Amino acid sequence: MNYPDESTYGNKADIISAVEFNHTGELLATGDKGGRVVIFQREQESKNQVHRRGEYNVYSTFQSHEPEFDYLKSLEIEEKINKIRWLPQQNAAYFLLSTNDKTVKLWKVSERDKRPEGYNLKDEEGRLRDPATITTLRVPVLRPMDLMVEATPRRVFANAHTYHINSISVNSDYETYMSADDLRINLWNFEITNQSFNIVDIKPANMEELTEVITAAEFHPHHCNTFVYSSSKGTIRLCDMRASALCDRHTKFFEEPEDPSNRSFFSEIISSISDVKFSHSGRYIMTRDYLTVKVWDLNMENRPIETYQVHDYLRSKLCSLYENDCIFDKFECVWNGSDSVIMTGSYNNFFRMFDRNTKRDVTLEASRENSKPRAILKPRKVCVGGKRRKDEISVDSLDFSKKILHTAWHPSENIIAVAATNNLYIFQDKVN
């Protein structure tokens, strides 16, 4: 089995690394390996084009991060966007946080469709006039102009992380947010860029004693004092900031005991959690590891209440997935707006949906071949050994270079965004 390198997909900088709807679902932001953020805006419905509601078109594109070099450590710092998080809209402008490995930035995205004219001290080209020639005072006026969308960096939160940032999460108080790296979680105030509070620190005094790292972290959607973080050992810790300033002792500890019959050389690697998400209700948390998605009830720590197999047919392929490093891929998971369906990605441009009520699940494919507008996605099936039916794909012919790591679900409607390498697909429920 040979795996093409990323250069076969054209420009490596275009590979999408983050996808996020804003709180209304009217905007959708993507970040890529080249440090760019592209924001799509949903088309407003018009009477003569009812079916066009739901189409997203480019609204704004800006360079969020640049490549840097840390001279003290002789390390290159990639410009790749690791995460994007929107702030709830307070006025006409939009605000979002974006982060690479080291630096979080707060961006303001605003529209301008008027420009001031008739300055007293400047001429129309903007040059300063000689005060001696000014004999009359004018009242400047605002004239209409073509709509411009401007993105401006309002805050830069830097120099607080020794290790790579893997998560950012906006608190429900909308005054603070946290950023997490492998060993520490910091709490920031949006107004203060030169200091943050370290709220979790799992770095041992002797680094040789290090047994796990932080893989993801998120604030509770309603309680501003509560957050969770997951680890590479497959555990989740719920912390309460009211208990102490440094949350080195968790309030709750979620862990599923390992099934001895499934024990293998790869057990530890595949149990590492790559994503953790609170449900919108705040009652459940969902975690994604290499082979499964699990749903935990906050009131039950000893085992998840639901476990969904994402691609169990890969269990026999773990050896080759280890050799080509795919076993370290970090898949994300998302809830739909009502917490009834969950979605996560797989290989071969497949993504999976699990209905928590009916227990039905489906595998769909995001690829150019079946992405004509208003085409209906056909469910896909993977067969393992034995005879292959005509509509099935053999596990041996899956393309592991085509992986869906990042997906997003509209907060209230059945619209999903799926990032497949350097393509973004937007699917929606069939409108009658």
Side-chain angles (χ1 to χ4, degrees), residues 80-93:
K80 171 185 166 227
I81 307 291
N82 291 347
K83 284 283 186 291
I84 291 172
R85 289 290 179 263
W86 290 90
L87 277 67
Q89 198 177 352
Q90 310 282 354
N91 52 28

Side-chain angles (χ1 to χ4, degrees), residues 3 8 31 60 91 122 153 191 204 218 266 304 312 384 396 413:
Y3 296 90
T8 55
S60 173
N91 52 28
K122 295 178 188 165
E191 301 301 322
E218 189 177 63
F266 304 108
D312 205 43
V384 188
D396 294 317
E413 295 178 45

Side-chain angles (χ1 to χ4, degrees), residues 66-124:
E66 303 279 355
E68 293 172 58
F69 192 78
D70 183 336
Y71 292 98
L72 291 173
K73 299 200 177 109
S74 290
L75 276 180
E76 281 183 47
I77 301 168
E78 276 191 288
E79 65 273 41
K80 171 185 166 227
I81 307 291
N82 291 347
K83 284 283 186 291
I84 291 172
R85 289 290 179 263
W86 290 90
L87 277 67
Q89 198 177 352
Q90 310 282 354
N91 52 28
Y94 302 99
F95 287 88
L96 62 87
L97 287 172
S98 63
T99 184
N100 67 349
D101 285 341
K102 296 287 179 198
T103 305
V104 184
K105 294 184 180 181
L106 175 68
W107 289 89
K108 176 185 181 181
V109 182
S110 53
E111 296 182 356
R112 235 187 37 205
D113 60 357
K114 294 184 178 63
R115 67 165 183 270
E117 275 183 13
Y119 286 105
N120 288 292
L121 301 177
K122 295 178 188 165
D123 62 19
E124 297 311 327

Side-chain angles (χ1 to χ4, degrees), residues 180-424:
D181 66 25
D182 292 348
L183 298 180
R184 296 192 178 101
I185 300 177
N186 292 331
L187 180 70
W188 300 84
N189 186 301
F190 278 112
E191 301 301 322
I192 302 167
T193 58
N194 60 355
Q195 71 176 56
S196 61
F197 291 97
N198 181 220
I199 51 174
V200 171
D201 186 349
I202 64 166
K203 185 180 178 184
N206 176 7
M207 279 295 266
E208 285 170 6
E209 291 165 13
L210 184 68
T211 58
E212 63 182 335
V213 293
I214 298 167
T215 55
E218 189 177 63
F219 270 118
H220 190 283
H222 315 303
H223 303 312
C224 60
N225 50 281
T226 311
F227 65 95
V228 291
Y229 69 92
S230 58
S231 84
S232 56
K233 274 195 161 171
T235 62
I236 307 118
R237 290 172 174 84
L238 180 83
C239 301
D240 187 337
M241 291 191 287
R242 295 171 302 188
S244 69
L246 184 67
C247 301
D248 46 3
R249 284 198 291 282
H250 47 265
T251 312
K252 291 191 172 187
F253 182 76
F254 301 85
E255 182 177 30
E256 184 172 31
E258 194 190 14
D259 177 2
S261 64
N262 272 340
R263 181 99 190 116
S264 77
F265 170 74
F266 304 108
S267 293
E268 253 179 49
I269 304 174
I270 64 172
S271 66
S272 174
I273 292 173
S274 53
D275 196 15
V276 60
K277 293 267 169 59
F278 271 103
S279 62
H280 296 83
S281 67
R283 168 77 189 268
Y284 305 102
I285 37 181
M286 162 169 60
T287 58
R288 169 75 210 254
D289 56 41
Y290 192 64
L291 294 177
T292 67
V293 173
K294 293 176 178 152
V295 177
W296 304 75
D297 188 319
L298 282 192
N299 302 324
M300 191 165 98
E301 297 169 61
N302 58 345
R303 65 173 192 276
I305 55 168
E306 297 157 30
T307 300
Y308 300 99
Q309 300 296 335
V310 178
H311 38 214
D312 205 43
Y313 45 78
L314 295 183
R315 216 173 267 281
S316 60
K317 294 256 175 288
L318 292 177
C319 200
S320 55
L321 290 163
Y322 177 75
E323 282 166 7
N324 66 18
D325 278 352
C326 283
I327 201 166
F328 302 108
D329 284 335
K330 293 178 168 44
F331 292 96
E332 294 169 8
C333 52
V334 289
W335 302 87
N336 71 339
S338 60
D339 299 333
S340 60
V341 184
I342 53 190
M343 170 171 64
T344 191
S346 179
Y347 293 104
N348 206 62
N349 278 352
F350 288 171
F351 59 97
R352 305 269 285 134
M353 286 185 177
F354 303 96
D355 188 313
R356 298 180 57 211
N357 300 326
T358 63
K359 297 293 179 240
R360 296 221 307 267
D361 64 279
V362 65
T363 303
L364 299 169
E365 182 181 4
S367 70
R368 285 226 163 126
E369 291 74 67
N370 57 15
S371 67
K372 296 181 184 66
R374 280 173 270 301
I376 292 175
L377 289 182
K378 289 190 188 69
R380 304 297 308 260
K381 283 207 165 50
V382 178
C383 79
V384 188
K387 284 185 76 171
R388 183 167 71 87
R389 291 209 192 97
K390 126 169 153 313
D391 57 343
E392 291 183 331
I393 180 167
S394 155
V395 67
D396 294 317
S397 54
L398 295 174
D399 185 344
F400 291 106
S401 66
K402 294 180 177 167
K403 48 192 93 165
I404 289 181
L405 304 175
H406 315 287
T407 59
W409 203 307
H410 187 289
S412 55
E413 295 178 45
N414 276 337
I415 298 177
I416 57 170
V418 175
T421 328
N422 51 2
N423 295 310
L424 178 71

Side-chain angles (χ1 to χ4, degrees), residues 7-191:
S7 60
T8 55
Y9 287 103
N11 190 354
K12 198 173 169 180
D14 292 338
I15 294 172
I16 297 171
S17 54
V19 187
E20 191 79 12
F21 280 101
N22 76 339
H23 292 257
T24 61
E26 291 302 302
L27 298 181
L28 171 67
T30 64
D32 65 24
K33 282 201 168 176
R36 284 184 304 269
V37 171
V38 180
I39 301 175
F40 299 86
Q41 185 181 42
R42 192 173 183 184
E43 285 299 305
Q44 293 306 311
E45 188 173 4
S46 61
K47 288 217 165 56
N48 53 357
Q49 291 180 311
V50 180
H51 62 268
R52 288 198 52 152
R53 176 89 175 119
E55 286 195 10
Y56 283 80
N57 292 318
V58 174
Y59 176 65
S60 173
T61 304
F62 58 92
Q63 188 71 30
S64 173
H65 287 70
E66 303 279 355
E68 293 172 58
F69 192 78
D70 183 336
Y71 292 98
L72 291 173
K73 299 200 177 109
S74 290
L75 276 180
E76 281 183 47
I77 301 168
E78 276 191 288
E79 65 273 41
K80 171 185 166 227
I81 307 291
N82 291 347
K83 284 283 186 291
I84 291 172
R85 289 290 179 263
W86 290 90
L87 277 67
Q89 198 177 352
Q90 310 282 354
N91 52 28
Y94 302 99
F95 287 88
L96 62 87
L97 287 172
S98 63
T99 184
N100 67 349
D101 285 341
K102 296 287 179 198
T103 305
V104 184
K105 294 184 180 181
L106 175 68
W107 289 89
K108 176 185 181 181
V109 182
S110 53
E111 296 182 356
R112 235 187 37 205
D113 60 357
K114 294 184 178 63
R115 67 165 183 270
E117 275 183 13
Y119 286 105
N120 288 292
L121 301 177
K122 295 178 188 165
D123 62 19
E124 297 311 327
E125 271 72 57
R127 291 185 295 264
L128 282 173
R129 290 163 59 185
D130 176 9
T133 65
I134 301 171
T135 53
T136 56
L137 278 179
R138 304 191 278 182
V139 178
V141 288
L142 289 171
R143 296 247 185 268
M145 59 177 252
D146 288 343
L147 179 69
M148 264 177 60
V149 181
E150 296 177 313
T152 45
R154 297 307 300 267
R155 304 271 188 282
V156 176
F157 304 90
N159 307 324
H161 285 278
T162 314
Y163 308 97
H164 290 349
I165 297 173
N166 56 45
S167 304
I168 46 177
S169 179
V170 178
N171 200 347
S172 58
D173 62 10
Y174 306 140
E175 290 178 14
T176 55
Y177 76 91
M178 67 176 167
S179 56
D181 66 25
D182 292 348
L183 298 180
R184 296 192 178 101
I185 300 177
N186 292 331
L187 180 70
W188 300 84
N189 186 301
F190 278 112
E191 301 301 322

